Amino acid sequence: MNVKNICCLGAGYVGGPTMAVIAQQCPHINVTVVDVNATRIAAWNDADLDKLPVFEPGLDNVVGEARGRNLFFSTDVDQAIDEADMIFISVNTPTKTYGKGKGMAADLKYIELCARQIASVSKTNKIVVEKSTLPVRTASAIKNILDHTGNGVEFQILSNPEFLAEGTAVDDLLAPDRVLIGGDTSDKGQEAIQALVDVYAHWVPKERILTTNVWSSELSKLTANAFLAQRVSSINSMSALCEKTGADVNEVAKAIGLDSRIGSKFLKSSVGFGGSCFQKDILNLVYIAKTYGLNEVADYWEQVIIMNDYQKNRFSNNIVSTLYNTVSGKKITFLGWAFKKDTNDTRESAAIQVADNLLNEQAHIAVYDPKVTEERIYADLDYLNTRAEEENRSLLNVKNDPYEACKDSHAIAVLTEWDEFKTYDWQAIYDNMLKPAFVFDGRGILDIKSLENIGFVCYSIGKGFNK
Ligand code: UDX
Ligand code: ADP
């Protein structure tokens, strides 16, 4: 089967870039990305490519090339479903904040709504592709809804998990390590798999396109993220030990990373991992394991999250104890709010927890992030519900200029590894700070020696203070 019309429900960090790349690589396929959020769609259609709702290096070029040719962004969900022969579901699946599985299970209400809408609108056979990260066996739930509420049309459900990392989404999509497609083992299931293989085969080498059954594909996504997050938590656990013993976490990471069985990636110690996937997917895994009575399996993976929370709290505790056990009324400047560099996404960013802890200690915080908006920062804090919204606005200020943000502060904390932080005029920053001027580098990116030469007192994650 030759796919001619693709639609994607959800124009977010995954759906937007993924569809843009498919459209760019397959000019003969019409790709329509729809979203219930009209503001988001308007931003995707903005003539000014700097205003796209998702910031990703290179995405403006891809969208600029394909948009209006065979890539469309729209709020007309029904029409897009009706016209498509393949429908991607890429809506959000946040962790449940209520009821059974609260704080752990994925909330599938948006997925279910999509399935019901697809069922009620479809007049022709469709291939439905789950792109959102979902707990194992969601495909069967989607199939159930489609088969029982549809108008007699046939649906094939595929699982095609997205492995792109934000900040490198375009490169990851153009040259993926692998594309995974899970489907039914029946003949029709295999035909559907082949249709999606053919789409990717336009730019991905065949040997990198893996096909499996649906459950393996769904579980592989959770497993990959759990393994990656575990590496970060493992090295972060060592960062605490390094600071106590005088070892340097970067040296340890380099030494173990050269072991080809271990490998060098995902060993960068940090103030804690964030992002939309790691925590959510591990919690999901923990919840699934518990559901099956596999308590030891659940505990094993939960420890990755516990270590991550510890790392964030350790960082803020260290700031408080270093500043003579009180930060009350002191100005602390955050460089970075995003969960990693080169993205404007802040979901689960370590900065949020660190800020919340310091605000509990009555610190005044100034934040500078090159891509995150003031609105987003306040929304992240308000979401925690720790204090009144007015209080968040009076205690935390967002600045558009890093030098302004650092002026008159007692300490600077680096929360995101943005490259530009390395190139600042640190002497000028030092001159305008209160003394002693502290820097807490939660990402290990700054040249500590030259900062110390200027006069800063520096802490770097996994190295501690230079004694
Ligand atoms: C992740 C997976 O990498 C991707 O395959 C999946 O599809 C979605 O989840 P993402 O969340 O975009 O992608 O970013 P990633 O680069 O994995 O980083 C996650 C977090 O871990 C970030 O906060 C990052 O700063 C942190 N991290 C990563 C470290 O602290 N140290 C490292 O060595 C690597
Ligand atoms: P991700 O990182 O997985 O892409 P996002 O939250 O960035 O997650 O994007 C998910 C998008 O899905 C949001 O823009 C949201 O408005 C959209 N969405 C949620 N429900 C629906 C729906 N029923 N139909 C279309 N879009 C939806």
Side-chain angles (χ1 to χ4, degrees), residues 231-256:
R231 282 174 69 92
V232 179
S233 270
S234 297
I235 198 72
N236 282 345
S237 76
M238 291 303 156
S239 73
L241 194 55
C242 287
E243 290 169 27
K244 292 282 182 210
T245 56
D248 175 331
V249 77
N250 292 340
E251 292 177 354
V252 174
K254 187 165 182 199
I256 65 160

Side-chain angles (χ1 to χ4, degrees), residues 45-338:
N45 280 322
D46 204 303
D48 181 355
L49 289 167
D50 277 343
K51 298 220 171 93
L52 298 182
V54 167
F55 171 72
E56 277 292 341
L59 183 60
D60 47 356
N61 288 335
V62 178
V63 171
E65 184 184 329
R67 195 175 61 186
R69 177 188 72 187
N70 65 325
L71 174 65
F72 308 95
F73 295 93
S74 155
T75 50
D76 194 340
V77 180
D78 284 358
Q79 189 189 345
I81 293 175
D82 182 36
E83 289 173 354
D85 22 50
M86 182 177 271
I87 303 168
F88 287 77
I89 302 184
S90 189
V91 301
N92 32 340
T93 51
T95 305
K96 274 186 87 173
T97 51
Y98 56 90
K100 189 160 176 272
K102 179 179 170 184
M104 241 179 222
D107 193 338
L108 298 182
K109 73 177 169 202
Y110 304 113
I111 299 280
E112 185 175 336
L113 284 172
C114 288
R116 290 187 187 278
Q117 195 162 3
I118 294 169
S120 74
V121 172
S122 297
K123 299 194 278 288
T124 53
N125 294 350
K126 313 275 185 205
I127 298 172
V128 176
V129 186
E130 51 168 23
K131 198 67 177 153
S132 319
T133 305
L134 297 165
V136 179
R137 302 222 155 226
T138 308
S140 70
I142 297 179
K143 177 142 186 60
N144 221 281
I145 293 169
L146 290 174
D147 287 347
H148 284 92
T149 53
N151 309 318
V153 299
E154 269 183 46
F155 295 102
Q156 277 301 322
I157 320 293
L158 300 178
S159 158
N160 172 219
E162 189 47 71
F163 292 106
L164 69 81
E166 290 173 33
T168 51
V170 172
D171 288 346
D172 293 348
L173 285 161
L174 286 172
D177 283 352
R178 76 320 204 171
V179 168
L180 186 55
I181 302 173
D184 205 272
T185 45
S186 65
D187 286 350
K188 290 217 163 126
Q190 295 301 305
E191 268 173 41
I193 289 180
Q194 194 53 46
L196 186 53
V197 168
D198 291 343
V199 172
Y200 282 109
H202 279 103
W203 77 98
V204 180
K206 282 242 161 63
E207 62 280 7
R208 295 199 174 200
I209 307 179
L210 237 67
T211 61
T212 64
N213 75 34
V214 177
W215 321 129
S216 304
S217 166
E218 287 180 330
L219 190 57
S220 299
K221 168 75 192 235
L222 296 187
T223 311
N225 279 339
F227 273 55
L228 290 169
Q230 183 193 44
R231 282 174 69 92
V232 179
S233 270
S234 297
I235 198 72
N236 282 345
S237 76
M238 291 303 156
S239 73
L241 194 55
C242 287
E243 290 169 27
K244 292 282 182 210
T245 56
D248 175 331
V249 77
N250 292 340
E251 292 177 354
V252 174
K254 187 165 182 199
I256 65 160
L258 283 171
D259 187 324
S260 61
R261 294 164 303 177
I262 298 174
S264 61
K265 294 185 178 155
F266 272 71
L267 288 178
K268 187 92 195 76
S269 185
S270 64
V271 54
F273 60 72
S276 65
C277 285
F278 279 7
Q279 170 146 326
K280 186 186 78 181
D281 288 356
I282 293 176
L283 288 173
N284 233 314
L285 201 56
V286 170
Y287 185 70
I288 294 168
K290 278 195 178 148
T291 308
Y292 288 106
L294 303 173
N295 292 328
E296 286 77 5
V297 178
D299 291 348
Y300 180 78
W301 287 107
E302 192 166 17
Q303 195 58 39
V304 175
I305 303 283
I306 294 172
M307 182 52 61
N308 198 47
D309 289 337
Y310 166 76
Q311 187 76 347
K312 292 184 262 187
N313 295 333
R314 194 169 79 80
F315 188 73
S316 52
N317 289 341
N318 181 32
I319 293 178
V320 177
S321 63
T322 304
L323 296 184
Y324 318 107
N325 285 320
T326 177
V327 289
S328 178
K330 291 181 181 167
K331 178 174 173 185
I332 298 173
T333 302
F334 277 28
L335 292 181
W337 188 267

